[in-house]
Amino acid sequence: MMKPYSMIIIALLFLTACKSGRVQEAPQIMNLSANPTGTGPGLSLEFRKGMAHNHPSFVLWAEGMDGKYLQTLFITKAVGTSIYEHGDPSSGHWEPGEIRRPASLPYWAHKRGVKEKDGLYVPSIENPMADAYTGATPPGDFNLSARFDKNPPPKFRILFEINQTWDWNKFWTNNKYPDDDEYKTSCQPAVVYMATVDMNDGVSAYTMEAIGHSHYAGRTGELFTDLGTLTTALEIVNNLTVNLE
């Protein structure tokens, strides 16, 4: 008869063998497409999430070297339409409905420069971003393929703004601006990333770098270049790479 300790050793060896033979699943990467019928050049964005990633809103757009807005390439649908999945509790449970969130992606919104009837620069139900440029928020890593409407200048900037709520820290506290409801929808402000693209320099891949953050309540289109007060907001993204197609 096998002794108890022998059975324990055999069981441990079996578990070790199973563990060592287990194949780790590769992280899932979602593929997105925007404006596929555009007549301008295409590019792709490789987004790899950071440790603090939790269903953020974001937008990708282009501007000239003079800082003037060229076009939006992709924006998460909630901000692009002002219709949020949990936007209307009037029936006793949450249903999609309109919510105005000027603090979500304010640097892009002011760059775009379309002022709605309520005085805000975020798109509205009456004047949403076209479906070709919007999509649901990806749950994690993704690759986005997008096209310009027409040919951009040979040299231009690609910008990416990202924001998620409930990310208070020791500087951006929940009582920093106690009477500012818009601040409370953003917590740490949106972070802006940028890469300069030169279609004539022979480079096909560009790494985007954080260049600043937006206004904490979205009231202006200022870019604040001091990132020293941000913590987890800088950990939403691990890596952003733009590739010319």
Side-chain angles (χ1 to χ4, degrees), residues 55-116:
H55 295 87
S57 297
F58 61 85
V59 60
L60 181 73
W61 78 99
E63 68 179 29
M65 296 304 295
D66 57 1
K68 291 184 179 180
Y69 171 88
L70 293 177
Q71 78 161 85
T72 298
L73 295 164
F74 181 86
I75 185 168
T76 46
K77 198 173 188 69
V79 182
T81 62
S82 282
I83 299 176
Y84 287 76
E85 184 177 352
H86 298 90
D88 182 5
S90 60
S91 64
H93 55 86
W94 286 110
E95 294 183 354
E98 181 181 22
I99 300 180
R100 308 291 281 140
R101 288 284 184 257
S104 55
L105 303 170
Y107 188 64
W108 162 80
H110 284 83
K111 281 278 188 177
R112 178 170 168 261
V114 178
K115 193 173 185 178
E116 301 293 339

Coordinates of all heavy atoms in Angstrom, one line a residue, residues 55-116:
H55 N -11.4 51.6 -19.1 CA -12.4 52.1 -20.0 C -12.3 53.6 -20.2 O -13.3 54.4 -19.9 CB -13.8 51.7 -19.5 CG -14.0 50.2 -19.5 ND1 -13.7 49.4 -18.5 CD2 -14.6 49.4 -20.5 CE1 -14.0 48.2 -18.8 NE2 -14.5 48.1 -20.0
P56 N -11.2 54.1 -20.7 CA -11.1 55.6 -20.9 C -11.8 56.0 -22.1 O -12.1 55.3 -23.0 CB -9.6 55.8 -21.0 CG -9.1 54.5 -21.6 CD -10.0 53.4 -21.0
S57 N -12.1 57.3 -22.2 CA -12.5 58.0 -23.4 C -11.2 58.5 -24.1 O -10.3 59.0 -23.4 CB -13.4 59.2 -23.1 OG -14.6 58.7 -22.5
F58 N -11.2 58.6 -25.4 CA -10.0 59.1 -26.1 C -10.4 59.6 -27.5 O -11.5 59.2 -28.1 CB -8.9 58.0 -26.2 CG -9.3 56.8 -26.9 CD1 -9.2 56.7 -28.3 CD2 -9.7 55.7 -26.2 CE1 -9.5 55.5 -29.0 CE2 -10.1 54.5 -26.9 CZ -9.9 54.4 -28.3
V59 N -9.5 60.3 -28.1 CA -9.7 60.8 -29.4 C -8.3 60.9 -30.1 O -7.3 61.2 -29.5 CB -10.3 62.2 -29.4 CG1 -9.5 63.2 -28.6 CG2 -10.6 62.7 -30.8
L60 N -8.3 60.7 -31.4 CA -7.1 60.8 -32.3 C -7.4 61.8 -33.4 O -8.4 61.7 -34.0 CB -6.7 59.4 -32.9 CG -5.5 59.3 -33.8 CD1 -4.2 59.4 -32.9 CD2 -5.5 58.0 -34.6
W61 N -6.5 62.8 -33.5 CA -6.7 63.8 -34.6 C -5.4 64.3 -35.1 O -4.3 63.9 -34.6 CB -7.6 64.9 -34.1 CG -6.9 66.0 -33.2 CD1 -6.5 67.2 -33.6 CD2 -6.6 65.9 -31.8 NE1 -6.0 67.9 -32.6 CE2 -6.1 67.1 -31.4 CE3 -6.8 64.9 -30.8 CZ2 -5.6 67.4 -30.1 CZ3 -6.4 65.2 -29.5 CH2 -5.9 66.4 -29.2
A62 N -5.5 65.1 -36.2 CA -4.3 65.6 -36.8 C -4.4 67.1 -36.9 O -5.5 67.7 -37.0 CB -4.2 65.1 -38.3
E63 N -3.2 67.8 -36.8 CA -3.2 69.2 -36.9 C -1.9 69.6 -37.7 O -1.0 68.8 -37.8 CB -3.2 69.9 -35.6 CG -1.9 69.7 -34.7 CD -2.0 70.4 -33.4 OE1 -3.1 70.6 -32.9 OE2 -0.9 70.8 -32.9
G64 N -1.9 70.8 -38.3 CA -0.8 71.2 -39.0 C 0.4 71.6 -38.1 O 0.2 71.7 -36.9
M65 N 1.5 71.9 -38.7 CA 2.7 72.3 -37.9 C 2.5 73.6 -37.2 O 3.2 74.0 -36.3 CB 3.9 72.3 -38.7 CG 4.3 70.9 -39.3 SD 4.6 69.7 -37.9 CE 6.0 70.4 -37.1
D66 N 1.5 74.4 -37.7 CA 1.1 75.7 -37.1 C 0.1 75.5 -36.0 O -0.3 76.5 -35.4 CB 0.6 76.6 -38.2 CG -0.7 76.0 -38.9 OD1 -1.1 74.9 -38.6 OD2 -1.2 76.7 -39.8
G67 N -0.3 74.3 -35.7 CA -1.2 74.0 -34.6 C -2.6 74.1 -35.0 O -3.5 73.9 -34.1
K68 N -2.9 74.3 -36.2 CA -4.3 74.4 -36.7 C -4.9 73.0 -36.9 O -4.3 72.1 -37.5 CB -4.5 75.2 -37.9 CG -4.2 76.7 -37.7 CD -4.4 77.5 -39.0 CE -4.2 79.0 -38.8 NZ -4.4 79.8 -40.0
Y69 N -6.1 72.8 -36.4 CA -6.8 71.5 -36.5 C -7.0 71.1 -38.0 O -7.4 72.0 -38.8 CB -8.2 71.7 -35.8 CG -9.1 70.5 -36.0 CD1 -9.1 69.4 -35.1 CD2 -10.1 70.6 -37.0 CE1 -10.1 68.4 -35.3 CE2 -11.1 69.6 -37.1 CZ -11.0 68.5 -36.3 OH -11.9 67.5 -36.4
L70 N -6.7 69.9 -38.3 CA -7.0 69.4 -39.6 C -8.2 68.5 -39.7 O -9.2 68.8 -40.4 CB -5.8 68.6 -40.1 CG -4.5 69.4 -40.4 CD1 -3.4 68.4 -40.8 CD2 -4.7 70.4 -41.5
Q71 N -8.2 67.4 -38.9 CA -9.4 66.5 -38.8 C -9.3 65.5 -37.7 O -8.2 65.2 -37.2 CB -9.6 65.8 -40.2 CG -8.7 64.6 -40.4 CD -9.3 63.7 -41.4 OE1 -9.0 63.9 -42.6 NE2 -10.1 62.6 -41.0
T72 N -10.5 65.1 -37.3 CA -10.5 64.0 -36.3 C -10.4 62.7 -37.1 O -11.1 62.5 -38.1 CB -11.9 64.0 -35.5 OG1 -11.9 65.3 -34.8 CG2 -12.0 62.9 -34.6
L73 N -9.6 61.8 -36.5 CA -9.5 60.4 -37.1 C -10.3 59.4 -36.4 O -10.8 58.5 -37.1 CB -8.0 60.1 -37.1 CG -7.1 61.0 -38.0 CD1 -5.6 60.8 -37.6 CD2 -7.3 60.7 -39.5
F74 N -10.4 59.5 -35.1 CA -11.3 58.5 -34.4 C -11.6 59.1 -33.0 O -10.7 59.8 -32.4 CB -10.6 57.2 -34.2 CG -11.4 56.2 -33.4 CD1 -12.3 55.4 -34.1 CD2 -11.3 56.1 -32.1 CE1 -13.1 54.5 -33.4 CE2 -12.1 55.1 -31.4 CZ -13.0 54.3 -32.1
I75 N -12.8 58.9 -32.5 CA -13.2 59.3 -31.2 C -14.1 58.3 -30.6 O -15.0 57.7 -31.3 CB -13.8 60.7 -31.2 CG1 -14.1 61.2 -29.7 CG2 -15.1 60.8 -32.0 CD1 -14.4 62.7 -29.6
T76 N -14.0 58.0 -29.3 CA -15.0 57.1 -28.7 C -16.4 57.7 -28.8 O -16.6 58.9 -28.6 CB -14.6 56.8 -27.2 OG1 -14.3 58.1 -26.5 CG2 -13.3 55.9 -27.1
K77 N -17.3 56.8 -29.0 CA -18.7 57.2 -29.4 C -19.4 58.0 -28.4 O -20.1 59.0 -28.7 CB -19.5 55.9 -29.7 CG -20.7 56.2 -30.5 CD -21.4 54.9 -31.0 CE -22.6 55.2 -31.9 NZ -22.1 55.7 -33.3
A78 N -19.2 57.7 -27.1 CA -19.9 58.5 -26.1 C -19.6 60.0 -26.1 O -20.5 60.8 -26.1 CB -19.6 57.9 -24.7
V79 N -18.3 60.3 -26.2 CA -17.9 61.7 -26.3 C -18.3 62.3 -27.7 O -18.7 63.5 -27.8 CB -16.4 61.9 -26.1 CG1 -16.0 63.4 -26.1 CG2 -16.0 61.3 -24.7
G80 N -18.1 61.5 -28.7 CA -18.4 62.0 -30.1 C -19.9 62.2 -30.3 O -20.2 62.9 -31.3
T81 N -20.8 61.7 -29.5 CA -22.2 61.9 -29.7 C -22.9 62.5 -28.4 O -24.1 62.9 -28.5 CB -22.9 60.6 -30.0 OG1 -22.7 59.7 -28.9 CG2 -22.3 59.9 -31.2
S82 N -22.2 62.5 -27.3 CA -22.8 62.9 -26.0 C -23.9 62.0 -25.5 O -24.7 62.3 -24.7 CB -23.3 64.4 -26.0 OG -22.3 65.3 -25.9
I83 N -23.9 60.7 -26.1 CA -24.9 59.7 -25.6 C -24.1 58.7 -24.9 O -23.2 58.0 -25.4 CB -25.6 59.1 -26.8 CG1 -26.4 60.1 -27.5 CG2 -26.6 58.0 -26.3 CD1 -27.1 59.6 -28.8
Y84 N -24.4 58.6 -23.6 CA -23.7 57.6 -22.7 C -24.6 56.5 -22.3 O -25.8 56.6 -22.2 CB -23.2 58.3 -21.4 CG -22.0 59.3 -21.7 CD1 -22.2 60.5 -22.3 CD2 -20.7 58.9 -21.3 CE1 -21.1 61.4 -22.5 CE2 -19.6 59.7 -21.5 CZ -19.9 61.0 -22.1 OH -18.8 61.8 -22.4
E85 N -24.0 55.3 -22.2 CA -24.8 54.1 -21.9 C -25.6 54.2 -20.6 O -26.7 53.8 -20.5 CB -23.8 52.9 -21.8 CG -24.5 51.6 -21.6 CD -23.6 50.4 -21.6 OE1 -22.4 50.6 -21.9 OE2 -24.0 49.3 -21.3
H86 N -25.0 54.8 -19.6 CA -25.7 55.1 -18.4 C -26.0 56.6 -18.3 O -25.4 57.3 -17.4 CB -24.8 54.6 -17.2 CG -24.6 53.1 -17.2 ND1 -23.5 52.6 -17.8 CD2 -25.3 52.1 -16.7 CE1 -23.5 51.3 -17.7 NE2 -24.6 50.9 -17.0
G87 N -26.8 57.1 -19.1 CA -27.0 58.5 -19.2 C -28.4 58.9 -18.8 O -28.6 60.1 -18.5
D88 N -29.4 58.0 -18.7 CA -30.8 58.4 -18.4 C -31.4 57.4 -17.3 O -31.7 56.3 -17.7 CB -31.6 58.4 -19.7 CG -33.0 58.8 -19.4 OD1 -33.4 59.2 -18.3 OD2 -33.8 58.7 -20.4
P89 N -31.5 57.9 -16.1 CA -32.1 57.0 -15.0 C -33.6 57.3 -14.8 O -34.2 56.8 -13.9 CB -31.3 57.4 -13.8 CG -31.1 58.9 -14.0 CD -30.9 59.1 -15.5
S90 N -34.2 58.0 -15.7 CA -35.6 58.5 -15.5 C -36.6 57.3 -15.4 O -37.7 57.5 -14.8 CB -36.0 59.5 -16.6 OG -36.0 58.9 -17.9
S91 N -36.3 56.2 -16.0 CA -37.3 55.1 -16.0 C -37.1 54.2 -14.8 O -37.8 53.2 -14.6 CB -37.0 54.2 -17.3 OG -35.8 53.6 -17.3
G92 N -36.2 54.5 -13.9 CA -35.9 53.7 -12.7 C -34.7 52.8 -12.9 O -34.3 52.2 -11.9
H93 N -34.2 52.7 -14.1 CA -32.9 52.0 -14.3 C -32.2 52.7 -15.4 O -32.7 53.5 -16.2 CB -33.2 50.5 -14.6 CG -34.1 50.4 -15.8 ND1 -33.6 50.4 -17.1 CD2 -35.4 50.2 -15.9 CE1 -34.7 50.2 -17.9 NE2 -35.8 50.1 -17.2
W94 N -30.9 52.5 -15.5 CA -30.0 53.2 -16.4 C -30.3 52.8 -17.8 O -30.4 51.6 -18.2 CB -28.6 53.0 -16.1 CG -28.1 53.7 -14.9 CD1 -27.7 53.1 -13.7 CD2 -27.9 55.1 -14.7 NE1 -27.3 54.1 -12.8 CE2 -27.4 55.3 -13.4 CE3 -28.1 56.2 -15.6 CZ2 -27.1 56.6 -12.9 CZ3 -27.8 57.4 -15.1 CH2 -27.3 57.6 -13.8
E95 N -30.5 53.8 -18.7 CA -30.6 53.7 -20.1 C -29.7 54.7 -20.8 O -29.3 55.7 -20.2 CB -32.1 53.9 -20.5 CG -33.0 52.8 -20.0 CD -34.4 53.1 -20.5 OE1 -34.7 54.1 -21.2 OE2 -35.3 52.2 -20.3
P96 N -29.4 54.4 -22.1 CA -28.6 55.4 -22.8 C -29.3 56.8 -22.8 O -30.5 56.9 -23.0 CB -28.5 54.8 -24.2 CG -28.7 53.4 -24.0 CD -29.7 53.2 -22.9
G97 N -28.5 57.8 -22.7 CA -29.1 59.2 -22.7 C -28.0 60.2 -22.8 O -26.8 59.9 -22.8
E98 N -28.4 61.5 -23.1 CA -27.5 62.5 -23.3 C -26.8 63.0 -22.0 O -27.5 63.3 -21.0 CB -28.1 63.7 -24.0 CG -27.2 64.9 -24.3 CD -27.9 66.1 -24.9 OE1 -29.1 66.2 -24.8 OE2 -27.2 66.8 -25.6
I99 N -25.5 63.1 -22.0 CA -24.8 63.8 -20.9 C -23.7 64.7 -21.5 O -23.0 64.2 -22.4 CB -24.1 62.8 -20.0 CG1 -25.1 61.8 -19.3 CG2 -23.3 63.5 -18.9 CD1 -24.5 60.8 -18.4
R100 N -23.6 65.9 -21.1 CA -22.6 66.8 -21.6 C -21.4 66.7 -20.7 O -21.5 67.0 -19.5 CB -23.2 68.2 -21.7 CG -24.5 68.3 -22.4 CD -24.4 68.1 -23.9 NE -23.8 69.2 -24.6 CZ -22.9 69.2 -25.6 NH1 -22.4 68.0 -25.9 NH2 -22.5 70.3 -26.2
R101 N -20.2 66.4 -21.3 CA -19.0 66.2 -20.5 C -17.9 67.1 -21.1 O -17.0 66.6 -21.8 CB -18.6 64.7 -20.5 CG -19.5 63.8 -19.7 CD -19.2 64.0 -18.2 NE -20.0 63.1 -17.3 CZ -21.0 63.5 -16.6 NH1 -21.5 64.7 -16.7 NH2 -21.7 62.6 -15.9
P102 N -17.9 68.4 -20.8 CA -16.8 69.2 -21.4 C -15.4 68.9 -20.9 O -14.5 69.3 -21.5 CB -17.3 70.6 -21.0 CG -18.2 70.4 -19.8 CD -18.9 69.1 -20.0
A103 N -15.3 68.3 -19.7 CA -14.0 68.0 -19.2 C -13.4 66.7 -19.7 O -12.3 66.3 -19.4 CB -14.1 67.9 -17.6
S104 N -14.1 66.0 -20.6 CA -13.7 64.7 -21.0 C -12.4 64.8 -21.9 O -11.4 64.2 -21.6 CB -14.8 63.9 -21.8 OG -15.3 64.7 -22.8
L105 N -12.5 65.5 -23.0 CA -11.4 65.6 -24.0 C -11.4 67.1 -24.5 O -11.5 67.4 -25.6 CB -11.6 64.7 -25.2 CG -11.8 63.2 -24.8 CD1 -12.2 62.4 -26.0 CD2 -10.5 62.6 -24.2
P106 N -11.1 68.0 -23.5 CA -11.2 69.4 -23.9 C -10.2 70.0 -24.8 O -10.5 71.0 -25.5 CB -11.2 70.1 -22.5 CG -10.4 69.2 -21.6 CD -10.8 67.8 -22.1
Y107 N -9.0 69.5 -24.8 CA -8.0 70.0 -25.7 C -8.4 69.8 -27.1 O -8.3 70.8 -27.9 CB -6.6 69.4 -25.4 CG -5.5 70.1 -26.1 CD1 -5.1 71.4 -25.9 CD2 -4.7 69.4 -27.1 CE1 -4.1 72.0 -26.5 CE2 -3.7 70.0 -27.7 CZ -3.3 71.3 -27.5 OH -2.3 71.9 -28.1
W108 N -8.8 68.6 -27.4 CA -9.3 68.3 -28.8 C -10.5 69.2 -29.1 O -10.7 69.7 -30.2 CB -9.6 66.8 -28.9 CG -10.5 66.5 -30.1 CD1 -10.2 66.4 -31.4 CD2 -12.0 66.4 -30.1 NE1 -11.3 66.2 -32.2 CE2 -12.4 66.1 -31.4 CE3 -12.9 66.4 -29.0 CZ2 -13.7 65.9 -31.7 CZ3 -14.3 66.2 -29.4 CH2 -14.6 66.0 -30.7
A109 N -11.5 69.2 -28.2 CA -12.8 69.9 -28.4 C -12.5 71.4 -28.8 O -13.2 71.9 -29.7 CB -13.7 69.8 -27.2
H110 N -11.7 72.0 -28.1 CA -11.4 73.4 -28.4 C -10.6 73.6 -29.6 O -10.7 74.6 -30.4 CB -10.7 74.1 -27.2 CG -11.6 74.4 -26.0 ND1 -11.9 73.5 -25.1 CD2 -12.2 75.6 -25.7 CE1 -12.8 74.1 -24.2 NE2 -13.0 75.3 -24.6
K111 N -9.7 72.7 -29.9 CA -9.0 72.7 -31.2 C -9.9 72.6 -32.4 O -9.8 73.2 -33.4 CB -7.9 71.5 -31.2 CG -6.7 71.8 -30.5 CD -5.7 72.6 -31.2 CE -4.3 72.7 -30.6 NZ -3.4 73.5 -31.4
R112 N -10.9 71.7 -32.2 CA -11.9 71.5 -33.3 C -12.7 72.7 -33.5 O -13.0 73.1 -34.6 CB -12.8 70.3 -32.9 CG -13.9 70.0 -33.9 CD -14.5 68.6 -33.5 NE -15.8 68.4 -34.3 CZ -17.0 68.6 -33.8 NH1 -17.1 69.1 -32.6 NH2 -18.0 68.4 -34.5
G113 N -13.0 73.4 -32.4 CA -13.6 74.7 -32.5 C -15.0 74.8 -32.9 O -15.5 75.9 -33.4
V114 N -15.8 73.8 -32.6 CA -17.2 73.8 -33.0 C -18.0 74.1 -31.7 O -18.1 73.2 -30.8 CB -17.7 72.5 -33.6 CG1 -19.2 72.6 -33.9 CG2 -16.9 72.3 -34.9
K115 N -18.6 75.3 -31.6 CA -19.3 75.6 -30.3 C -20.8 75.3 -30.5 O -21.5 75.7 -31.4 CB -19.1 77.1 -30.1 CG -19.6 77.6 -28.7 CD -19.2 79.0 -28.5 CE -19.5 79.5 -27.0 NZ -19.1 80.9 -26.8
E116 N -21.3 74.5 -29.6 CA -22.7 74.1 -29.6 C -23.6 75.1 -29.0 O -23.2 76.1 -28.4 CB -22.9 72.7 -28.9 CG -22.0 71.6 -29.5 CD -22.5 71.2 -30.9 OE1 -23.6 71.5 -31.3 OE2 -21.6 70.6 -31.6

